[in-house]
Structures are given as structure tokens and as C-alpha cells.
Amino acid sequence: MRFSVTTWNINSVRLRLPIVEQFIVGEKPDILCLQEIKCRAEEFPLEPLKAMGYEHIILHGQKGYHGVAILSKVPLSEDHRQDYCGVGDARHISAIFERGSRRIRIHNFYVPAGGDEPDRSINPKFGHKLDFVEEMKALKASSPGVSSILVGDLNIAPLEHDVWSHKQMLKIVSHTPVETEGLTQVMEKGGWLDLMRQHVPASEKLYTWWSYRAKDWEAADRGRRLDHIWSSPDLGPFLDKIEVLKEARGWNRPSDHVPVTATFKF
């Protein structure tokens, strides 16, 4: 039994609905998790996406900013959203689905970007990001009778080869030591497995984001791995493949992130 889960920071689902539909036609994931949907729940394009087979949709949106959604071909239950840092941002949603005899909770995150200056004393956005990551350390991958998958734009590239230049990125937000160490602790304290690096060795470059600022993003290839798929350890042996759809960065009116899909063979 194959089952696939995709994560994608879409950077406005209404603006980029045509490429969401293009992706669905080509890839047909069983569950599609979107971040930065940038709309309230009542503004989300439910009907066209339900018509494409995603009859089960839960979302946590807000006007103009942030927002996360889970689109699923299989039923979802126990809808939950956590207000990290208590500021009311729509940055997390989770639900349970079933595959065979397995119950799996899927978490969808949009971690704060953190601004441009990696110093919380002069940049409150960076402090917010660090506090958010600190609270994530309490999230456990395993609980009795329930496996877990965590996906999303975590806005941190934790490993040396998750960025185009480790040395040049050490003082750039998303790859500073305080961020990378924090995210590593989230994984370790929660007992999470990094599925992307289980499939692609840590010694190989792996990116999911290319800046809009690059005139020729493909030639420069100055990417970062900001998008992640983790799981509880029990699901690791069932991972069949990871696909990063780099070509989507070149689609019409693209997001600066591309879809990442994990396929399991249960």
C-alpha cells in the first residue's frame, strides 16, 4: 500500500491556485500540506480543490498572513491547532488519519522566518523565531497507539549541505548556529526522524527554496533546505522515496519554495 504526503509553502494559495492544480494533476499526493496560504478560512478555495479529490480539508488561516492547511483524500479527525508563543498566528495545524491498522497524526508547521538580523536584542522577529523553536521542543513524535509525521516550512536549514555555502551562511538567518542547534534539539528531544536525510545522505546538497532575488536562480543554485518532512521512528522503515520537485520553482508565477513529497510503502 503506497501513501504519499507533500509539503509546500505556496506563498498565497489564491494567487497560486493554478500551480497547485498543476501539481495535483501531475503528482496526485494522498495528503497535501500547504503553508503561508495567506487567507482566512472563508476565503480558501475549497470547492476547486475538493473537486480534484481532496474532500477532507482542514485549515488554520488569518487575513493576509501565515496560515496552514491540510488537504487529504482520506478522512481526517481530531483537528488541533497550537498557538505557539501565544500571539494568535496561524502557524500550526494537525489531524489524525488512518492507513490500514495505523493511526498517524500529521503536523503542519510554518515557523517564523525571523527577519534579516540574527540578533534578538535589535530584531524582535528573530527572538520570536527562537521562542517558537524552543516551544517546539516539547512536541513528541511518539505516543501510545499513534505514529506521527511532521511537515512544513521550518525556515531553518540545519545541516552543512542544506545550504549552498555553509561558511558564508553562518551569519545569515536560517543557518545561524543558534537556529540550527535549536532545530536539532527539537528533533532529538521529540524523538523525530529526518526522513529527507534518511533518503538523501547528509553529505549531499539538498535544497527546497531559491530566493526571488536571484535573477537566474537555477544557474546560481544558491538554495536552502527550509522545508522538512519528519516522522516518528516507527515509520522510517516504510519510507520508499523522497521527491523534491525543483522544476516547480520555474513554473508560471511560482512560489520560492517547491513541493517535497514523501512516499511510504506500508
Side-chain angles (χ1 to χ4, degrees):
M1 180 188 298
R2 287 183 176 273
F3 192 84
S4 58
V5 175
T6 296
T7 181
W8 192 6
N9 178 320
I10 196 58
N11 191 18
S12 177
V13 67
R14 292 175 294 171
L15 178 64
R16 304 192 208 284
L17 182 58
I19 64 170
V20 174
E21 294 172 330
Q22 179 180 345
F23 173 76
I24 288 172
V25 168
E27 304 299 325
K28 302 177 180 65
D30 294 293
I31 292 181
L32 172 58
C33 293
L34 299 175
Q35 302 89 39
E36 215 173 351
I37 60 174
K38 292 185 175 178
C39 65
R40 293 173 293 194
E42 60 268 26
E43 299 167 326
F44 191 86
L46 285 171
E47 294 312 313
L49 293 168
K50 285 186 175 182
M52 300 190 77
Y54 295 89
E55 297 181 4
H56 311 279
I57 298 176
I58 62 170
L59 56 142
H60 185 23
Q62 67 186 90
K63 184 179 179 180
Y65 295 95
H66 320 316
V68 286
I70 302 175
L71 290 62
S72 177
K73 294 181 178 180
V74 300
L76 300 171
S77 64
E78 299 188 32
D79 174 352
H80 173 72
R81 58 282 312 273
Q82 183 76 25
D83 184 11
Y84 283 83
C85 298
V87 296
D89 286 346
R91 293 185 177 275
H92 169 266
I93 195 165
S94 75
I96 286 181
F97 67 94
E98 297 184 9
R99 283 284 83 189
S101 60
R102 292 181 177 275
R103 300 183 77 238
I104 302 172
R105 177 168 289 280
I106 184 161
H107 294 271
N108 185 9
F109 275 94
Y110 175 48
V111 172
D116 294 325
E117 185 62 47
D119 183 345
R120 69 181 305 153
S121 68
I122 60 174
N123 176 16
K125 291 182 178 180
F126 192 67
H128 179 211
K129 182 178 189 176
L130 297 183
D131 292 343
F132 193 105
V133 170
E134 184 66 30
E135 289 189 17
M136 286 181 68
K137 293 176 185 178
L139 186 62
K140 304 301 181 184
S142 300
S143 61
V146 182
S147 303
S148 297
I149 295 173
L150 185 156
V151 307
D153 175 7
L154 305 187
N155 263 314
I156 298 173
L159 303 181
E160 178 177 347
H161 294 293
D162 289 342
V163 294
W164 65 275
S165 172
H166 172 63
K167 183 177 181 180
Q168 294 182 66
M169 290 289 298
L170 283 172
K171 295 183 179 181
I172 303 298
V173 174
S174 77
H175 194 61
T176 66
V178 66
E179 294 171 271
T180 60
E181 290 166 10
L183 194 66
T184 297
Q185 289 176 18
V186 173
M187 282 191 276
E188 291 176 350
K189 289 178 179 292
W192 294 97
L193 182 64
D194 182 349
L195 293 180
M196 294 176 71
R197 281 308 187 182
Q198 175 177 302
H199 187 74
V200 180
S203 59
E204 295 182 18
K205 293 289 188 183
L206 183 60
Y207 312 142
T208 65
W209 175 92
W210 292 264
S211 175
Y212 284 134
R213 297 175 184 175
K215 292 182 179 179
D216 191 340
W217 67 272
E218 190 169 17
D221 201 25
R222 294 188 171 189
R224 307 178 201 177
R225 182 173 72 116
L226 302 181
D227 306 273
H228 297 261
I229 302 181
W230 302 351
S231 80
S232 47
D234 62 307
L235 296 184
F238 300 99
L239 180 68
D240 184 47
K241 60 181 177 178
I242 293 284
E243 295 176 286
V244 178
L245 194 64
K246 184 177 180 179
E247 66 187 68
R249 181 61 179 81
W251 288 353
N252 186 43
R253 302 180 78 181
S255 171
D256 45 0
H257 297 254
V258 300
V260 182
T261 302
T263 300
F264 300 88
K265 190 184 294 183
F266 292 118

PDB file of all heavy atoms in Angstrom, residues 107 138-149 189-193 231-235:
ATOM      1  N   HIS A 107       1.361  16.752  11.541  1.00  0.00           N
ATOM      2  CA  HIS A 107       1.532  18.136  11.954  1.00  0.00           C
ATOM      3  C   HIS A 107       2.003  18.962  10.756  1.00  0.00           C
ATOM      4  O   HIS A 107       2.908  18.543  10.027  1.00  0.00           O
ATOM      5  CB  HIS A 107       2.601  18.251  13.045  1.00  0.00           C
ATOM      6  CG  HIS A 107       2.249  17.594  14.338  1.00  0.00           C
ATOM      7  ND1 HIS A 107       1.570  18.257  15.350  1.00  0.00           N
ATOM      8  CD2 HIS A 107       2.491  16.340  14.795  1.00  0.00           C
ATOM      9  CE1 HIS A 107       1.409  17.434  16.376  1.00  0.00           C
ATOM     10  NE2 HIS A 107       1.961  16.263  16.073  1.00  0.00           N
ATOM     11  N   ALA A 138       8.929  20.591  22.998  1.00  0.00           N
ATOM     12  CA  ALA A 138       8.035  19.774  23.823  1.00  0.00           C
ATOM     13  C   ALA A 138       7.202  18.806  22.995  1.00  0.00           C
ATOM     14  O   ALA A 138       6.526  17.932  23.553  1.00  0.00           O
ATOM     15  CB  ALA A 138       7.105  20.689  24.617  1.00  0.00           C
ATOM     16  N   LEU A 139       7.262  18.917  21.663  1.00  0.00           N
ATOM     17  CA  LEU A 139       6.420  18.085  20.799  1.00  0.00           C
ATOM     18  C   LEU A 139       7.055  16.709  20.591  1.00  0.00           C
ATOM     19  O   LEU A 139       8.153  16.604  20.046  1.00  0.00           O
ATOM     20  CB  LEU A 139       6.224  18.782  19.444  1.00  0.00           C
ATOM     21  CG  LEU A 139       5.255  18.116  18.473  1.00  0.00           C
ATOM     22  CD1 LEU A 139       3.846  18.075  19.053  1.00  0.00           C
ATOM     23  CD2 LEU A 139       5.266  18.849  17.137  1.00  0.00           C
ATOM     24  N   LYS A 140       6.363  15.673  21.011  1.00  0.00           N
ATOM     25  CA  LYS A 140       6.896  14.316  20.939  1.00  0.00           C
ATOM     26  C   LYS A 140       6.411  13.595  19.678  1.00  0.00           C
ATOM     27  O   LYS A 140       5.251  13.706  19.297  1.00  0.00           O
ATOM     28  CB  LYS A 140       6.482  13.511  22.167  1.00  0.00           C
ATOM     29  CG  LYS A 140       6.889  14.155  23.493  1.00  0.00           C
ATOM     30  CD  LYS A 140       8.395  14.367  23.591  1.00  0.00           C
ATOM     31  CE  LYS A 140       8.777  14.985  24.934  1.00  0.00           C
ATOM     32  NZ  LYS A 140      10.234  15.280  25.021  1.00  0.00           N
ATOM     33  N   ALA A 141       7.315  12.841  19.069  1.00  0.00           N
ATOM     34  CA  ALA A 141       6.975  12.104  17.852  1.00  0.00           C
ATOM     35  C   ALA A 141       6.123  10.881  18.147  1.00  0.00           C
ATOM     36  O   ALA A 141       5.283  10.496  17.333  1.00  0.00           O
ATOM     37  CB  ALA A 141       8.256  11.679  17.127  1.00  0.00           C
ATOM     38  N   SER A 142       6.330  10.276  19.284  1.00  0.00           N
ATOM     39  CA  SER A 142       5.658   9.008  19.590  1.00  0.00           C
ATOM     40  C   SER A 142       4.701   9.163  20.765  1.00  0.00           C
ATOM     41  O   SER A 142       5.015   9.827  21.758  1.00  0.00           O
ATOM     42  CB  SER A 142       6.688   7.932  19.928  1.00  0.00           C
ATOM     43  OG  SER A 142       7.567   7.727  18.840  1.00  0.00           O
ATOM     44  N   SER A 143       3.527   8.567  20.614  1.00  0.00           N
ATOM     45  CA  SER A 143       2.561   8.476  21.707  1.00  0.00           C
ATOM     46  C   SER A 143       1.851   7.138  21.579  1.00  0.00           C
ATOM     47  O   SER A 143       1.838   6.538  20.495  1.00  0.00           O
ATOM     48  CB  SER A 143       1.564   9.637  21.663  1.00  0.00           C
ATOM     49  OG  SER A 143       0.840   9.624  20.457  1.00  0.00           O
ATOM     50  N   PRO A 144       1.264   6.627  22.639  1.00  0.00           N
ATOM     51  CA  PRO A 144       0.667   5.284  22.599  1.00  0.00           C
ATOM     52  C   PRO A 144      -0.378   5.130  21.489  1.00  0.00           C
ATOM     53  O   PRO A 144      -1.352   5.875  21.420  1.00  0.00           O
ATOM     54  CB  PRO A 144       0.018   5.161  23.979  1.00  0.00           C
ATOM     55  CG  PRO A 144       0.826   6.065  24.857  1.00  0.00           C
ATOM     56  CD  PRO A 144       1.191   7.228  23.980  1.00  0.00           C
ATOM     57  N   GLY A 145      -0.112   4.202  20.580  1.00  0.00           N
ATOM     58  CA  GLY A 145      -1.055   3.876  19.528  1.00  0.00           C
ATOM     59  C   GLY A 145      -1.126   4.835  18.366  1.00  0.00           C
ATOM     60  O   GLY A 145      -1.931   4.639  17.449  1.00  0.00           O
ATOM     61  N   VAL A 146      -0.302   5.873  18.389  1.00  0.00           N
ATOM     62  CA  VAL A 146      -0.350   6.876  17.321  1.00  0.00           C
ATOM     63  C   VAL A 146       1.069   7.175  16.826  1.00  0.00           C
ATOM     64  O   VAL A 146       1.942   7.557  17.612  1.00  0.00           O
ATOM     65  CB  VAL A 146      -1.024   8.177  17.785  1.00  0.00           C
ATOM     66  CG1 VAL A 146      -1.089   9.180  16.635  1.00  0.00           C
ATOM     67  CG2 VAL A 146      -2.416   7.906  18.329  1.00  0.00           C
ATOM     68  N   SER A 147       1.288   7.011  15.522  1.00  0.00           N
ATOM     69  CA  SER A 147       2.542   7.423  14.893  1.00  0.00           C
ATOM     70  C   SER A 147       2.414   8.896  14.504  1.00  0.00           C
ATOM     71  O   SER A 147       1.328   9.471  14.580  1.00  0.00           O
ATOM     72  CB  SER A 147       2.816   6.573  13.658  1.00  0.00           C
ATOM     73  OG  SER A 147       2.844   5.204  13.974  1.00  0.00           O
ATOM     74  N   SER A 148       3.515   9.506  14.057  1.00  0.00           N
ATOM     75  CA  SER A 148       3.469  10.929  13.713  1.00  0.00           C
ATOM     76  C   SER A 148       4.280  11.241  12.470  1.00  0.00           C
ATOM     77  O   SER A 148       5.326  10.621  12.209  1.00  0.00           O
ATOM     78  CB  SER A 148       4.002  11.779  14.868  1.00  0.00           C
ATOM     79  OG  SER A 148       3.213  11.646  16.021  1.00  0.00           O
ATOM     80  N   ILE A 149       3.793  12.235  11.729  1.00  0.00           N
ATOM     81  CA  ILE A 149       4.529  12.854  10.635  1.00  0.00           C
ATOM     82  C   ILE A 149       4.489  14.352  10.874  1.00  0.00           C
ATOM     83  O   ILE A 149       3.432  14.903  11.207  1.00  0.00           O
ATOM     84  CB  ILE A 149       3.907  12.515   9.264  1.00  0.00           C
ATOM     85  CG1 ILE A 149       4.010  11.015   8.969  1.00  0.00           C
ATOM     86  CG2 ILE A 149       4.589  13.306   8.146  1.00  0.00           C
ATOM     87  CD1 ILE A 149       3.262  10.580   7.717  1.00  0.00           C
ATOM     88  N   LYS A 189      14.952  15.949  21.187  1.00  0.00           N
ATOM     89  CA  LYS A 189      14.091  15.893  22.365  1.00  0.00           C
ATOM     90  C   LYS A 189      12.740  15.248  22.051  1.00  0.00           C
ATOM     91  O   LYS A 189      12.141  14.578  22.889  1.00  0.00           O
ATOM     92  CB  LYS A 189      13.882  17.296  22.938  1.00  0.00           C
ATOM     93  CG  LYS A 189      15.101  17.890  23.611  1.00  0.00           C
ATOM     94  CD  LYS A 189      14.826  19.304  24.109  1.00  0.00           C
ATOM     95  CE  LYS A 189      16.037  19.895  24.808  1.00  0.00           C
ATOM     96  NZ  LYS A 189      16.346  19.232  26.082  1.00  0.00           N
ATOM     97  N   GLY A 190      12.279  15.454  20.807  1.00  0.00           N
ATOM     98  CA  GLY A 190      10.985  14.891  20.426  1.00  0.00           C
ATOM     99  C   GLY A 190      11.065  13.492  19.867  1.00  0.00           C
ATOM    100  O   GLY A 190      10.032  12.852  19.639  1.00  0.00           O
ATOM    101  N   GLY A 191      12.270  13.004  19.620  1.00  0.00           N
ATOM    102  CA  GLY A 191      12.436  11.672  19.050  1.00  0.00           C
ATOM    103  C   GLY A 191      12.028  11.597  17.588  1.00  0.00           C
ATOM    104  O   GLY A 191      11.516  10.562  17.132  1.00  0.00           O
ATOM    105  N   TRP A 192      12.282  12.687  16.838  1.00  0.00           N
ATOM    106  CA  TRP A 192      11.880  12.742  15.433  1.00  0.00           C
ATOM    107  C   TRP A 192      12.957  12.197  14.505  1.00  0.00           C
ATOM    108  O   TRP A 192      14.151  12.299  14.798  1.00  0.00           O
ATOM    109  CB  TRP A 192      11.569  14.173  15.032  1.00  0.00           C
ATOM    110  CG  TRP A 192      10.376  14.758  15.720  1.00  0.00           C
ATOM    111  CD1 TRP A 192      10.373  15.562  16.826  1.00  0.00           C
ATOM    112  CD2 TRP A 192       9.004  14.558  15.356  1.00  0.00           C
ATOM    113  NE1 TRP A 192       9.081  15.878  17.170  1.00  0.00           N
ATOM    114  CE2 TRP A 192       8.222  15.283  16.293  1.00  0.00           C
ATOM    115  CE3 TRP A 192       8.357  13.841  14.338  1.00  0.00           C
ATOM    116  CZ2 TRP A 192       6.837  15.317  16.233  1.00  0.00           C
ATOM    117  CZ3 TRP A 192       6.982  13.877  14.283  1.00  0.00           C
ATOM    118  CH2 TRP A 192       6.225  14.606  15.214  1.00  0.00           C
ATOM    119  N   LEU A 193      12.539  11.661  13.383  1.00  0.00           N
ATOM    120  CA  LEU A 193      13.432  11.144  12.344  1.00  0.00           C
ATOM    121  C   LEU A 193      13.343  12.056  11.128  1.00  0.00           C
ATOM    122  O   LEU A 193      12.250  12.348  10.628  1.00  0.00           O
ATOM    123  CB  LEU A 193      12.995   9.730  11.965  1.00  0.00           C
ATOM    124  CG  LEU A 193      13.814   8.972  10.914  1.00  0.00           C
ATOM    125  CD1 LEU A 193      15.233   8.726  11.420  1.00  0.00           C
ATOM    126  CD2 LEU A 193      13.133   7.648  10.590  1.00  0.00           C
ATOM    127  N   SER A 231       9.316  12.143  10.868  1.00  0.00           N
ATOM    128  CA  SER A 231       8.325  11.168  11.344  1.00  0.00           C
ATOM    129  C   SER A 231       8.779  10.556  12.660  1.00  0.00           C
ATOM    130  O   SER A 231       9.934  10.714  13.082  1.00  0.00           O
ATOM    131  CB  SER A 231       8.117  10.055  10.309  1.00  0.00           C
ATOM    132  OG  SER A 231       9.161   9.088  10.381  1.00  0.00           O
ATOM    133  N   SER A 232       7.857   9.855  13.281  1.00  0.00           N
ATOM    134  CA  SER A 232       8.237   9.018  14.418  1.00  0.00           C
ATOM    135  C   SER A 232       9.088   7.869  13.873  1.00  0.00           C
ATOM    136  O   SER A 232       8.955   7.468  12.702  1.00  0.00           O
ATOM    137  CB  SER A 232       6.995   8.492  15.138  1.00  0.00           C
ATOM    138  OG  SER A 232       6.051   7.958  14.222  1.00  0.00           O
ATOM    139  N   PRO A 233      10.011   7.342  14.679  1.00  0.00           N
ATOM    140  CA  PRO A 233      10.943   6.318  14.184  1.00  0.00           C
ATOM    141  C   PRO A 233      10.279   5.092  13.576  1.00  0.00           C
ATOM    142  O   PRO A 233      10.844   4.467  12.663  1.00  0.00           O
ATOM    143  CB  PRO A 233      11.746   5.948  15.433  1.00  0.00           C
ATOM    144  CG  PRO A 233      11.702   7.170  16.285  1.00  0.00           C
ATOM    145  CD  PRO A 233      10.328   7.741  16.075  1.00  0.00           C
ATOM    146  N   ASP A 234       9.083   4.722  14.033  1.00  0.00           N
ATOM    147  CA  ASP A 234       8.445   3.509  13.538  1.00  0.00           C
ATOM    148  C   ASP A 234       8.048   3.595  12.068  1.00  0.00           C
ATOM    149  O   ASP A 234       7.858   2.571  11.408  1.00  0.00           O
ATOM    150  CB  ASP A 234       7.219   3.167  14.388  1.00  0.00           C
ATOM    151  CG  ASP A 234       6.164   4.246  14.331  1.00  0.00           C
ATOM    152  OD1 ASP A 234       6.489   5.423  14.583  1.00  0.00           O
ATOM    153  OD2 ASP A 234       4.984   3.933  14.050  1.00  0.00           O
ATOM    154  N   LEU A 235       7.934   4.817  11.537  1.00  0.00           N
ATOM    155  CA  LEU A 235       7.559   4.967  10.125  1.00  0.00           C
ATOM    156  C   LEU A 235       8.771   4.974   9.195  1.00  0.00           C
ATOM    157  O   LEU A 235       8.628   4.784   7.989  1.00  0.00           O
ATOM    158  CB  LEU A 235       6.755   6.259   9.921  1.00  0.00           C
ATOM    159  CG  LEU A 235       5.406   6.345  10.635  1.00  0.00           C
ATOM    160  CD1 LEU A 235       4.701   7.644  10.256  1.00  0.00           C
ATOM    161  CD2 LEU A 235       4.532   5.141  10.319  1.00  0.00           C
TER     162      LEU A 235
END
